[in-house]
Amino acid sequence: MARATDLRPSDLHGVIGFLITPVKEQEITYRTQNAINVEETARATEALINDGVTGICLNGTFGELPSLTWEELKTFTATVVKTARKRVPVFAGATTLNTRDTIARAKEFRDMGAEGLLMGRPMMSPLSDENIVRYYQDIATELPEMAIFLYDDMEAFKRPITTRTYVELAKIPQIIGAKYRTRLMISNLMENTYNCDVDAVKGNIKLLPGDFDWYFANKLYGLDTCWSSSVCGGPAPIMALRDALNSQRLEEAQVITREISRLYEGIVPNGNFELWHVDKIPFMKARFAAAGYLKPGPALPPYHYISPARVEVAKECGRRSRELQEKYSRQAKAA
């Protein structure tokens, strides 16, 4: 019988980075094969680890899970795992439209050396609370040696994970963390149940806020960890926020949080998160290309069109990331 994972919620700390999938700089069509930029994937992985991330999650939505072929997904994941060399845990994106394919992919990622799985849910139709629990139970039963990092995205998976579902998921020991949907700062358009969900999991699952919400979650609940996709535009400001929170320099942390919040201005069109998901993938590619820290390459079909107006918004977000990265890189060198 396989040994259960050694990873626990306490092993998640600092900044868990969500890595974009670098694609070759070439014309991309539906005929394109082997699109992964292997060299840039290795360089980006090394850069994020050297610059302070304490875990790497792969292939959520902006990581282009629905756009990659299985061969490309294997190439990308294997490159990250090989480059990481166990210095930080790698959570491979194994979500598919059904339990059996998800388990099959997860086993291949396990055999590559990934320590964990970034797990969303089947999304052709929304899962009921009962089926959400059973889905994760089945994966955990089949792969006890793999830690599970939940991906709680209510647009991608058509509904949030409810508080009563978190109660049941917290009983599965392999589930150690979650990319939580907190919008304490960037939106008041939905009921926020973060406090109820934190109470529900009783410390068995670390519910990670985004970098934009980390200050609030740290102040209210002492959260020492966040998830961040903005690290792909340059992690220096996120690491500065980490250091300020760790030292409880809360005024400084609040200032940095306001700066980080500007990186998100204009991302969600008219505050509509459903519209945001329509062009999320090409928007993030354009945003991080403009930031210059990584080379994301073009978006893959069928999620590759984005209007010129949205490209300009993405470029402005990327420009702000570049400026903030330069500012906090200089401060770190001077310290």
Side-chain angles (χ1 to χ4, degrees):
M1 184 175 179
R3 181 171 60 88
T5 178
D6 292 328
L7 289 175
R8 295 292 180 266
S10 58
D11 294 312
L12 299 175
H13 58 89
V15 180
I16 306 299
F18 277 66
L19 177 60
I20 205 162
T21 303
V23 169
K24 295 173 184 175
E25 293 285 355
Q26 64 185 51
E27 182 182 1
I28 300 293
T29 73
Y30 65 88
R31 292 192 175 96
T32 300
Q33 298 294 320
N34 304 316
I36 301 300
N37 185 335
V38 173
E39 292 76 16
E40 178 61 12
T41 296
R43 191 197 70 80
T45 302
E46 191 68 34
L48 286 176
I49 293 173
N50 287 339
D51 288 342
V53 302
T54 51
I56 297 176
C57 289
L58 306 179
N59 300 116
T61 45
F62 93 101
E64 297 189 276
L65 181 69
S67 311
L68 297 169
T69 67
W70 176 221
E71 291 304 315
E72 288 168 340
L73 188 59
K74 287 191 290 185
T75 296
F76 174 64
T77 305
T79 301
V80 175
V81 169
K82 181 179 178 181
T83 305
R85 302 192 307 279
K86 305 289 184 182
R87 288 174 291 171
V88 301
V90 174
F91 297 89
T95 310
T96 76
L97 292 177
N98 67 78
T99 303
R100 291 171 294 169
D101 279 336
T102 296
I103 289 172
R105 288 190 174 194
K107 287 181 176 178
E108 293 220 30
F109 294 145
R110 173 199 62 194
D111 295 344
M112 290 177 189
E115 294 90 342
L117 303 167
L118 174 65
M119 292 302 315
R121 292 162 263 150
M123 72 291 286
M124 185 70 78
S125 297
L127 290 182
S128 66
D129 288 352
E130 293 77 11
N131 281 328
I132 289 173
V133 174
R134 183 58 182 269
Y135 170 72
Y136 287 112
Q137 285 174 336
D138 289 344
I139 294 167
T141 297
E142 194 66 20
L143 292 125
E145 66 275 37
M146 298 291 279
I148 295 173
F149 194 101
L150 300 175
Y151 184 15
D152 186 3
D153 187 310
M154 63 183 292
E155 282 78 33
F157 306 112
K158 297 192 166 57
R159 58 183 301 240
I161 297 175
T162 64
T163 299
R164 78 184 189 102
T165 303
Y166 269 118
V167 169
E168 298 304 314
L169 294 178
K171 299 174 184 178
I172 303 173
Q174 288 94 333
I175 301 177
I176 64 171
K179 177 189 176 184
Y180 194 77
R181 62 187 184 276
T182 45
R183 297 171 186 168
L184 300 175
M185 184 181 72
I186 65 172
S187 175
N188 59 4
L189 301 179
M190 61 171 284
E191 179 186 3
N192 183 53
T193 60
Y194 187 68
N195 57 337
C196 297
D197 296 338
V198 168
D199 291 341
V201 300
K202 301 185 185 302
N204 292 326
I205 303 175
K206 211 171 222 184
L207 304 183
L208 271 58
D211 48 35
F212 44 81
D213 278 338
W214 194 9
Y215 166 79
F216 301 100
N218 178 273
K219 185 176 180 179
L220 295 172
Y221 299 100
L223 259 290
D224 64 350
T225 320
C226 77
W227 65 265
S228 176
S229 56
S230 288
V231 293
C232 293
I238 319 302
M239 300 307 164
L241 177 59
R242 173 203 63 192
D243 294 343
L245 290 174
N246 285 346
S247 301
Q248 285 297 284
R249 303 192 306 271
L250 296 184
E251 289 186 6
E252 180 182 341
Q254 195 169 19
V255 169
I256 299 170
T257 295
R258 284 197 293 266
E259 292 178 306
I260 290 172
S261 74
R262 293 200 67 238
L263 306 181
Y264 294 88
E265 288 179 4
I267 277 187
V268 181
N270 301 317
N272 188 322
F273 280 83
E274 290 185 6
L275 281 179
W276 158 233
H277 269 257
V278 170
D279 66 9
K280 178 179 182 179
I281 294 172
F283 186 99
M284 296 292 259
K285 286 266 178 159
R287 173 190 175 190
F288 293 133
Y293 179 77
L294 307 179
K295 297 176 182 177
L300 298 164
Y303 299 100
H304 52 309
Y305 174 77
I306 181 171
S307 72
R310 289 288 286 162
V311 169
E312 290 307 309
V313 176
K315 287 181 177 179
E316 175 59 20
C317 291
R319 184 191 65 78
R320 293 174 191 153
S321 287
R322 185 173 65 251
E323 288 182 351
L324 214 55
Q325 171 71 9
E326 291 171 354
K327 172 183 175 178
Y328 282 102
S329 292
R330 287 195 301 269
Q331 290 187 11
K333 290 177 182 177

